[in-house]
Amino acid sequence: MATKLTNEIISAAILGFEEQKRHIDSEIAELRAVLSGGSSEAAATPEAPTSKRRKFSAAARRNMKEAQQRRWAAIKGTSEPPSRVTSKPAKPKRRISAEGMKRIIAATKKRWRLARAEKAK
């Protein structure tokens, strides 16, 4: 005769099997403790090793804080918070002159020319 499985029967079966699993796990932990001579709690609940947190310097944390404040200010539409005062003025961006670029190109061409001549020998 076929038994009709209802949700209640399936739930009860799951609970019963989970209880059996817990009992078996505790028995295994006790046997491992006897085998190794250690405590049963350590063998019963193995835990994954935790990774260490990355440490940031105070300056890095301050920069992250200021960046987050600027992002929130942009979202809220308010003015930016006053950023820290730097004692050095920002340096202007340096550009290479046309003459300097020509010297670099000429030196590179000469180097490649000598390398090709050496390889041809």
Side-chain angles (χ1 to χ4, degrees), residues 13-84:
I14 290 172
L15 291 174
F17 288 135
E18 286 176 346
E19 183 59 36
Q20 288 179 5
K21 181 179 180 284
R22 277 193 289 276
H23 179 68
I24 291 170
D25 286 342
S26 66
E27 293 290 327
I28 290 172
E30 288 177 17
L31 290 174
R32 283 191 179 146
V34 170
L35 188 64
S36 65
S39 65
S40 64
E41 289 89 27
T45 58
E47 295 180 10
T50 58
S51 60
K52 294 187 179 186
R53 289 191 62 137
R54 187 174 182 181
K55 294 183 180 180
F56 292 100
S57 67
R61 288 194 306 271
R62 184 174 54 243
N63 289 338
M64 289 189 289
K65 174 189 167 196
E66 289 174 357
Q68 186 63 44
Q69 286 177 338
R70 284 192 296 273
R71 285 192 290 271
W72 273 106
I75 290 171
K76 293 179 182 179
T78 59
S79 64
E80 289 189 19
S83 62
R84 59 189 159 116

Side-chain angles (χ1 to χ4, degrees), residues 92-97:
K93 197 166 190 176
R94 294 174 53 170
R95 295 198 46 146
I96 193 163
S97 66

